[in-house]
Amino acid sequence: AVAREALRTRVPVVLIHLVSSRGADGDEPGLRAWYTEAEGLAGVVLNSEVEAAVAREAANVLTSGHPRIVMVGTDGTDATRRDPVYVRFFLDVVIATPRLLIVGAGHIAQPLAEISSVLGFETIVVDERADFANRDRFPTANDVLARPIEAFLEDFVVDDRTFVVLVTRAHRFDEVALRLLLGSPVPYIGMIGSRRRVRVVYKNLLDEGFIPEQFERVFAPIGLDIGAKTPAEIALSISAEL
């Protein structure tokens, strides 16, 4: 239930499983507690010293995204299998699937949605044009939405595992999207377009009061420089950059 809730809310959690113990009054192996950044440790591990040590390790696991085994003494210090008393825990991290939000449903969006689905992204496509944003053109995407871009982004909750690609048909749509995304926690915003188009968008937003540092997560022109020409090649260069 804890893992399902973490996936539903997209709030990462570390599950703390008791694996084994020696010389300690541990219960049967199994899930004993869980850890989130906002709420800290929930559940009963053994005692306050062990809980403090496990919470520290859980915070490290949450940051790295990699599960690990930890062994501690009943006083909360590090332990090994040679010690007469120890408790052994497995810290497993549950992190929501990374999402790729493709804004614009044109000719580059199609192969990009296919590649991102293969790579394991939860893929979402949005465009105000229903004849472009539809299931026939994006059969592998998780969601295809025919909605005005600004209205969609005002409602859509992004997080630090949401990657955004702007492949709209005009720079005014890029400006609308960037205006709503620059202050968000998304780690990547890729924007299609010529260098001139990018400069125009940046200048307009800077004139509105945005600061240069806010553009550090924006990759424009988008994609790795692999000499891409076709929509499929451009989609591949974007995927590689992601």
Side-chain angles (χ1 to χ4, degrees), residues 109-133:
Q110 280 187 289
L112 179 58
E114 293 182 19
I115 295 172
S116 68
S117 296
V118 172
L119 294 176
F121 284 90
E122 177 186 335
T123 307
I124 303 166
V125 180
V126 61
D127 195 301
E128 74 279 4
R129 301 167 295 174
D131 53 338
F132 280 78

Side-chain angles (χ1 to χ4, degrees), residues 53-233:
V54 169
R56 287 193 298 272
E57 293 294 342
N60 293 333
V61 167
L62 202 60
T63 300
S64 70
H66 299 295
R68 62 172 302 189
I69 292 284
V70 298
M71 298 177 66
V72 296
T74 54
D75 60 354
T77 58
D78 293 340
T80 68
R81 290 179 181 272
R82 299 189 185 91
D83 293 321
V85 179
Y86 68 78
V87 188
R88 191 165 175 247
F89 297 98
F90 174 57
L91 276 55
D92 191 17
V93 61
V94 178
I95 302 177
T97 303
R99 293 185 298 194
L100 177 61
L101 173 59
I102 304 173
V103 182
H107 58 293
I108 293 173
Q110 280 187 289
L112 179 58
E114 293 182 19
I115 295 172
S116 68
S117 296
V118 172
L119 294 176
F121 284 90
E122 177 186 335
T123 307
I124 303 166
V125 180
V126 61
D127 195 301
E128 74 279 4
R129 301 167 295 174
D131 53 338
F132 280 78
N134 57 67
R135 276 288 167 198
D136 289 339
R137 300 185 74 243
F138 295 93
T140 65
N142 296 85
D143 285 302
V144 185
L145 303 156
R147 289 190 59 190
I149 290 171
E150 185 171 13
F152 171 81
L153 290 175
E154 286 176 344
D155 294 337
F156 188 73
V157 179
V158 298
D159 56 27
D160 60 2
R161 290 178 66 77
T162 302
F163 300 79
V164 182
V165 169
L166 306 179
V167 283
T168 70
R169 69 182 190 276
H171 74 265
R172 68 179 183 276
F173 297 110
D174 299 332
E175 284 187 28
V176 165
L178 283 178
R179 192 175 289 113
L180 295 169
L181 291 169
L182 285 177
S184 74
V186 298
Y188 175 98
I189 305 170
M191 185 168 64
I192 200 75
S194 66
R195 295 186 184 279
R196 178 186 176 281
R197 172 171 161 175
V198 171
R199 285 197 300 270
V200 169
V201 171
Y202 284 7
K203 181 181 184 305
N204 290 343
L205 293 174
L206 288 169
D207 289 345
E208 291 180 14
F210 288 92
I211 59 176
E213 288 75 16
Q214 291 180 287
F215 294 89
E216 291 177 356
R217 288 169 299 148
V218 182
F219 291 75
I222 196 172
L224 297 185
D225 186 5
I226 61 172
K229 302 294 184 183
T230 69
E233 291 170 346

